């Protein structure tokens, strides 16, 4: 067996030395010898591209390797690890790297969801690898199982919690009764949520991951614009209390599935907060953890669980990809290419059938429930349960406004378009004072 110093070297360019990049560099430094034997070549970091050369860095980010000239760095690399994030300049740098013969490992879900096609095509044209295990659910092996281990099976449905920040917030709201803003502030204090948590709380991060998973699972190019996306900013403490009363939990779910039809099979990719029964395995996923539930025709149900974010967990997934890509540089061959032969169409949300929970504030007088039930049944929506609570008035008796009630209704599965039409009626009738929430029921 060759000694460490006898092994050939692979030139590794690292783009970014933030939360993830710093941990990638630490692992390459601390485990260099083991990694070299696994790859069959030494991983020689030739440079680390950052924005700000003057910033203090951790000791495992050697100052002499820092550069602001990422373009020059990637042109001289065998392998590029992209952990800078964002669309540009990451996109141009990866295309440039591949055009100069480098294989690429990236954690950049936003870029893959927006322009994965260009990256795949460049990898194909230049005969290099494109790996991205860390882009979906951090440390959890998910891309490789979907892309390779289940390549011989037929994935029917994936239901996942793939955003740690929002899971932390919803879990904190459930455990403490806190409102959304307070739970978000705590998540930021603890370092779970970023200073700008928009992509997380509005569901864009989970939607990007859904688009990546759907593309792999259904052998179809699923763009970010094909993913219906709703975030958690509208989830209230009242919704959480209602969920608890119904023995359910609210989770931000990424759902991708095949939808059979008379003429053709289509696919759906969507992200929204949903009520799931507390008996469902995803209900017990707490704090910032991720979990993904896959249903495949032959394999049956599979569950993946672990840390979906954080420097070290994400670096673990990246190093796994680095070893795979490195082995190909040494022994030849390339990893899996894009598989999009199925080219399935996406079904519009309106045509899907879902079960709903709606919460309304209404006038508390005779006939109101009948009117609401009549509207729903007029659109073919069947009620499953109704819960009513009188709204306590804070006014003195003499100034008391007309009595109001909160009504929580769950429905059987109905067309999304039918629910939209019913809500339109509710928003224009005087008996319904406000539509407080509309959530789907999943995981039945
Ligand atoms: P981060 O902490 O913000 O670090 C970004 C790094 O990239 C910084 O070192 C920054 O330089 C550098 N950088 C940014 N723009 C640059 C530019 N134009 N030119 C040169 N360098 C640039 O980000 P992160 O949390 O490590 O995330 C990196 C990637 O991993 C993102 O795509 C993210 O979505 C993905 N990811 C992150 C996690 C996680 O838990 N953090 C999990 C999974 C995937 P300076 O240091 O000089 O500012
Ligand atoms: N912001 C993401 C999360 C990081 O909270 O899950 C991992 O992709």
């Amino acid at each position: 067996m060759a000694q460490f110093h006898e092994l050939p070297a692979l030139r590794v360019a690292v783009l970014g030395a933030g939360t993830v990049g710093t941990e990638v560099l630490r692992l390459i430094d601390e485990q260099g010898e083991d990694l070299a034997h696994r790859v069959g070549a030494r991983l020689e970091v030739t440079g680390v591209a950052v924005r700000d050369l003057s910033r203090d860095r951790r000791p495992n980010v050697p100052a002499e390797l820092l550069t602001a000239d990422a373009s020059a760095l990637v042109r001289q690399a065998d392998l590029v690890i992209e952990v800078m994030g964002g669309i540009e300049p990451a996109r141009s740098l990866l295309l440039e790297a591949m055009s100069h013969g480098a294989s690429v490992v990236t954690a950049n879900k936003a870029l893959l969801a927006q322009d994965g096609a260009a990256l795949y095509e460049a990898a194909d044209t230049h005969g290099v690898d494109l790996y991205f295990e860390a882009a979906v659910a951090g440390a959890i092996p998910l891309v490789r199982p979907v892309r390779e281990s289940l390549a011989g099976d037929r994935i029917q449905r994936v239901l996942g919690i793939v955003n740690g920040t929002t899971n932390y917030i919803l879990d904190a709201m459930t455990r403490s009764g806190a409102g959304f803003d307070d739970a978000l502030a705590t998540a930021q204090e603890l370092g779970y949520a970023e200073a700008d948590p928009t992509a997380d709380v509005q569901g864009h991060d989970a939607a990007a991951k859904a688009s990546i998973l759907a593309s792999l699972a259904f052998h179809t190019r699923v763009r970010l614009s094909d993913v219906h996306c709703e975030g958690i900013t509208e989830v209230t403490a009242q919704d959480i209390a209602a969920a608890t009363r119904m023995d359910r939990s609210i989770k931000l779910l990424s759902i991708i599935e095949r939808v059979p039809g008379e003429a053709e099979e289509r696919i759906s990719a969507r992200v929204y907060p949903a009520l799931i029964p507390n008996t469902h395995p995803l209900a017990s996923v707490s704090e910032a953890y991720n979990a993904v539930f896959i249903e495949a025709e032959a394999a049956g149900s599979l569950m993946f669980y672990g840390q979906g974010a954080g420097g070290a967990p994400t670096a673990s997934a990246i190093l796994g990809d680095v070893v795979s890509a490195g082995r190909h540089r040494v022994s030849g061959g390339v990893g899996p290419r894009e598989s999009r032969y199925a080219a399935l169409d996406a079904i519009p949300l309106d045509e899907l059938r879902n079960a709903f929970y709606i919460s309304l504030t209404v006038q508390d007088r005779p006939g109101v429930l009948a009117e609401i039930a009549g509207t729903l049944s007029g659109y073919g929506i069947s009620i499953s349960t109704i819960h009513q609570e009188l709204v306590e008035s804070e006014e003195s008796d003499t100034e008391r406004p007309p009595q109001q009630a909160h009504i929580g209704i769950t429905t059987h599965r109905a067309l999304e378009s039918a629910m939209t039409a019913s809500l339109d009626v509710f928003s224009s009738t005087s008996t319904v004072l406000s539509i407080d929430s509309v959530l789907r029921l999943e995981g039945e």
Side-chain angles (χ1 to χ4, degrees), residues 149 271 322 433:
S149 319
V271 171
V322 166
L433 302 171

Side-chain angles (χ1 to χ4, degrees), residues 109 162-165 194 200 205 209 308-309:
K109 58 251 170 174
V162 293
N163 183 270
T165 305
E194 295 178 29
D200 293 316
D205 177 81
K209 293 164 179 169

Side-chain angles (χ1 to χ4, degrees), residues 350 352 354-360 375-376 379-383 409-427 435 437-440:
D350 265 6
L352 283 179
N354 271 320
F356 291 89
Y357 164 75
I358 58 172
S359 159
L360 310 171
T375 300
L376 291 172
Y379 287 104
I381 302 174
S382 169
I383 291 174
I409 296 173
T410 62
T411 74
H412 295 293
R413 278 157 70 90
L415 272 176
E416 284 269 350
S417 57
M419 181 51 79
T420 306
S422 303
L423 294 171
D424 283 347
V425 173
F426 294 150
S427 60
I435 300 167
S437 318
V438 182
L439 293 163
R440 282 107 179 159

Side-chain angles (χ1 to χ4, degrees), residues 10 28 136 235 433:
L10 284 180
I28 291 178
V136 186
V235 176
L433 302 171

Side-chain angles (χ1 to χ4, degrees), residues 85-100:
I87 305 301
E88 285 294 352
R91 178 181 178 281
S92 300
L93 288 167
L94 293 188
L95 294 177
E96 189 175 10
M98 289 192 269
S99 74
H100 282 79

